[in-house]
C-alpha cells in the first residue's frame, strides 16, 4: 500500500514537470511570434522623415566652355593683279584706321588710264565739231528757206550723241582710275597685324597662285567671349546677366563680362543658343582664340517648388518624389530644375505644403504604408 502511494506521488511530480515544461515552451513560442510580428510590421511600415513642399526661387549657374575671338577681324586681299612694291608693316605691328599697309604696282593700269584719257579727248573733239555744225545751222536757219527742219534736227541729234560719248569716256576713265586706289591697301580699323603672307615683288591679286590673304588684322583691345548655352538653360537669360570666366594661361585670375548679344534661336546641330559677351582687353592679357571656362548664372523661376535634393530620386526608368497622404506613399513623376547647395527645383503634380519623404528611395514602394517621424 505504501509502495502504491509512492508511485502515485512520483507520477504527479512527473506530470507537474511536464506541464511546467510545456507551459514554458508555449510562452517562448508566443514571445518569438510576437517579436517576428513586430519585426515584420517594422519592415512593412518604414519610419520616414517628411518635408513640406514650398514655392521658391533658386539661383544656380552652369559652367561651360567658351572661346575668346577678336571683336573685329579681317583678311586683306589685293583686288587687282599687281606686284608688291612696298611693305610697311609686319606681324605684331599695331596700326590705326586708314594707315597705309602695303603699296602695290600695276604698270598696265597706268597704260589703261592714259588710253582712257585719250578717248576722252577724242570724243570731246568730235563733240565740239558736231556742236559747231549745229550752231552754224541754227544761225543760218534764221534766214527763211536756207536750212530744212530735218537737217537741223539731224545736226542736233548728232551733237547730243557725241556729248553722250564724251560722258561715257569720262566714266570709263573714272573706272580705270578707281583701280589706282586699290594699289594702296589701308587698315579699315585699329588693330594688330597677326599674319603676313607676302614678300616684296610677289605677284598678288585674283589671278595669283596664292589664295592666302596679304595680311590678317585683328582688333584685340576688345574681344568677344562666345559660349553655347544648352537648350534646358536658355529660358532665364537676358542681356543684363554677368558671367565669370577663367583661362588656363591665368588660372589664378577671374574675369567678368556682361552678356551683350543673344542669338534668340537654337543652333540646329548643337541644340544650343549662342551668347556673346564683350571683354575689354586694354592690357592685352587675353589673346584671341583662347579657351575659357565660363560660369553662366541661371536665375530660377517663381513658379518652381523647392525641395531637398535627397527628396528627388532618379531610377533607371524615371525621376520621382514620394508624396505621403494618409500614411500612404505615392510616387509622383518630377522634372529637375536648378540646384543650389542642398536644395533643388522640381516640377510635377505637386501642391504647396504637400508632404514628401525627405530621403526618397525605390525601397519605399508606391502605395505602401509608411510611418511619420
Amino acid at each position: 500500500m505504501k509502495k502504491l502511494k509512492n508511485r502515485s506521488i512520483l507520477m504527479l511530480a512527473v506530470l507537474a514537470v511536464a506541464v511546467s515544461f510545456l507551459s514554458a515552451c508555449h510562452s517562448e513560442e508566443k514571445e518569438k511570434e510576437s517579436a517576428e510580428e513586430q519585426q515584420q510590421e517594422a519592415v512593412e511600415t518604414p519610419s520616414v522623415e517628411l518635408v513640406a513642399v514650398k514655392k521658391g526661387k533658386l539661383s544656380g549657374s552652369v559652367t561651360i566652355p567658351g572661346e575668346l575671338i577678336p571683336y573685329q577681324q579681317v583678311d586683306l586681299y589685293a583686288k587687282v593683279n599687281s606686284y608688291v612694291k612696298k611693305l610697311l608693316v609686319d606681324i605684331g605691328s599695331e596700326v590705326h584706321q586708314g594707315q597705309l599697309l602695303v603699296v602695290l604696282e600695276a604698270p598696265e593700269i597706268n597704260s589703261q588710264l592714259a588710253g582712257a584719257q585719250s578717248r576722252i579727248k577724242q570724243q570731246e573733239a568730235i563733240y565740239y565739231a558736231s556742236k559747231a555744225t549745229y550752231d552754224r545751222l541754227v544761225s543760218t536757219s534764221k534766214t527763211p528757206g536756207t536750212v530744212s527742219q530735218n537737217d537741223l534736227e539731224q545736226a542736233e541729234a548728232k551733237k547730243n550723241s557725241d556729248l553722250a560719248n564724251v560722258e561715257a569716256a569720262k566714266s570709263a576713265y573714272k573706272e580705270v582710275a578707281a583701280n589706282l586706289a586699290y594699289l594702296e591697301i589701308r587698315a579699315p580699323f585699329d588693330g594688330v597685324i597677326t599674319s603676313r603672307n607676302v614678300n616684296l615683288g610677289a605677284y598678288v591679286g585674283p589671278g595669283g597662285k596664292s589664295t592666302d590673304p596679304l595680311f590678317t588684322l585683328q582688333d584685340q583691345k576688345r574681344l568677344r567671349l562666345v559660349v553655347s548655352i544648352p537648350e534646358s538653360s536658355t529660358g532665364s537669360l537676358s542681356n543684363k546677366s554677368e558671367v565669370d570666366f577663367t583661362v588656363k594661361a591665368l588660372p589664378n585670375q577671374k574675369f567678368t563680362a556682361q552678356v551683350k548679344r543673344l542669338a534668340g534661336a537654337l543652333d540646329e546641330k548643337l541644340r544650343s543658343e549662342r551668347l556673346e559677351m564683350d571683354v575689354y582687353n586694354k592690357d592685352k592679357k587675353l589673346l584671341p582664340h583662347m579657351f575659357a571656362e565660363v560660369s553662366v548664372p541661371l536665375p530660377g523661376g517663381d513658379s518652381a517648388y523647392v525641395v531637398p535634393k535627397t527628396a528627388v530620386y532618379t531610377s533607371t526608368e524615371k525621376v520621382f518624389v514620394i508624396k505621403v497622404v494618409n500614411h500612404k506613399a505615392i510616387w509622383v513623376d518630377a522634372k529637375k530644375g536648378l540646384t543650389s547647395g542642398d536644395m533643388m527645383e522640381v516640377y510635377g503634380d505637386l501642391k504647396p505644403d504637400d508632404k514628401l519623404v525627405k530621403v526618397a528611395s525605390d525601397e519605399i514602394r508606391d502605395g505602401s504604408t509608411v510611418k511619420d517621424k
Side-chain angles (χ1 to χ4, degrees):
M1 188 73 178
K2 185 177 180 181
K3 190 176 181 180
L4 183 60
K5 185 178 180 181
N6 290 336
R7 185 179 296 177
S8 300
I9 293 173
L10 181 61
M11 289 181 65
L12 290 172
V14 171
L15 287 173
V17 171
V19 170
S20 176
F21 178 76
L22 291 173
S23 177
C25 289
H26 184 67
S27 177
E28 288 179 0
E29 288 179 358
K30 291 183 69 176
E31 290 179 358
K32 187 176 180 180
E33 290 177 358
S34 178
E36 289 178 352
E37 289 177 357
Q38 291 178 359
Q39 184 178 2
Q40 185 177 2
E41 184 180 356
V43 171
E44 293 179 352
T45 311
S47 181
V48 296
E49 183 178 354
L50 302 182
V51 292
V53 174
K54 300 291 184 183
K55 277 200 173 185
K57 186 175 182 180
L58 296 181
S59 295
S61 64
V62 59
T63 301
I64 52 179
E67 183 182 6
L68 291 164
I69 62 175
Y71 187 77
Q72 295 184 93
Q73 176 174 321
V74 64
D75 294 329
L76 300 174
Y77 291 87
K79 180 175 174 60
V80 296
N81 295 326
S82 55
Y83 296 91
V84 177
K85 184 178 181 180
K86 291 182 182 180
L87 283 174
L88 304 177
V89 293
D90 210 327
I91 293 177
S93 298
E94 293 192 13
V95 300
H96 301 287
Q97 183 177 7
Q99 181 176 333
L100 184 62
L101 306 180
V102 60
V103 177
L104 305 176
E105 185 177 31
E108 63 273 16
I109 292 182
N110 294 328
S111 299
Q112 293 172 2
L113 195 64
Q117 193 169 13
S118 298
R119 281 191 290 275
I120 292 177
K121 292 180 179 180
Q122 179 184 6
Q123 294 299 329
E124 284 179 342
I126 295 173
Y127 166 70
Y128 291 146
S130 61
K131 182 176 184 302
T133 300
Y134 173 72
D135 290 342
R136 283 195 299 270
L137 289 175
V138 170
S139 178
T140 305
S141 65
K142 292 180 180 179
T143 303
T146 56
V147 178
S148 69
Q149 184 65 26
N150 182 64
D151 291 340
L152 189 62
E153 291 176 354
Q154 290 291 332
E156 184 180 12
K158 180 68 168 58
K159 181 198 70 167
N160 293 338
S161 175
D162 292 339
L163 178 61
N165 289 335
V166 171
E167 296 300 326
K170 288 181 179 180
S171 297
Y173 176 83
K174 290 180 181 179
E175 182 180 355
V176 176
N179 288 331
L180 288 175
Y182 296 126
L183 297 179
E184 292 185 347
I185 298 179
R186 299 178 179 273
F189 52 82
D190 294 352
V192 177
I193 301 295
T194 59
S195 72
R196 176 181 66 84
N197 301 306
V198 293
N199 293 300
L200 289 174
Y203 181 68
V204 295
K209 294 181 179 179
S210 176
T211 58
D212 296 328
L214 306 182
F215 300 102
T216 298
L217 177 63
Q218 293 181 350
D219 179 3
Q220 298 181 352
K221 290 185 178 180
R222 183 164 58 163
L223 303 175
R224 298 174 188 260
L225 177 59
V226 179
V227 297
S228 294
I229 300 296
E231 180 181 356
S232 59
S233 303
T234 58
S236 56
L237 294 172
S238 69
N239 57 4
K240 296 182 180 179
S241 304
E242 286 192 350
V243 303
D244 297 326
F245 69 95
T246 58
V247 295
K248 290 184 178 179
L250 302 167
N252 296 324
Q253 190 167 354
K254 183 179 289 187
F255 301 89
T256 301
Q258 185 175 355
V259 176
K260 289 293 185 180
R261 289 166 291 277
L262 293 88
L266 297 183
D267 182 90
E268 293 183 359
K269 296 180 179 178
L270 301 177
R271 308 305 303 173
S272 58
E273 182 180 12
R274 179 186 174 108
L275 264 69
E276 287 190 1
M277 286 68 70
D278 290 348
V279 179
Y280 292 92
N281 187 38
K282 294 182 180 180
D283 53 7
K284 294 189 177 180
K285 289 183 178 180
L286 301 171
L287 299 179
H289 304 295
M290 276 184 168
F291 287 105
E293 288 292 325
V294 187
S295 178
V296 181
L298 299 174
D302 295 328
S303 60
Y305 295 110
V306 178
V307 299
K309 288 194 293 186
T310 55
V312 184
Y313 187 81
T314 303
S315 68
T316 56
E317 299 177 353
K318 61 180 180 178
V319 178
F320 62 90
V321 295
I322 302 176
K323 182 167 66 172
V324 176
V325 179
N326 296 328
H327 304 290
K328 293 289 185 180
I330 301 174
W331 287 11
V332 179
D333 292 340
K335 291 184 179 180
K336 295 180 180 180
L338 296 178
T339 300
S340 179
D342 296 331
M343 305 302 289
M344 174 184 289
E345 291 180 348
V346 293
Y347 300 89
D349 186 15
L350 298 171
K351 297 178 181 178
D353 297 325
D354 280 349
K355 301 298 181 182
L356 302 183
V357 176
K358 185 175 182 180
V359 181
S361 170
D362 58 356
E363 295 179 359
I364 304 175
R365 304 308 300 171
D366 189 16
S368 64
T369 302
V370 296
K371 183 186 297 183
D372 304 349
K373 283 186 179 180

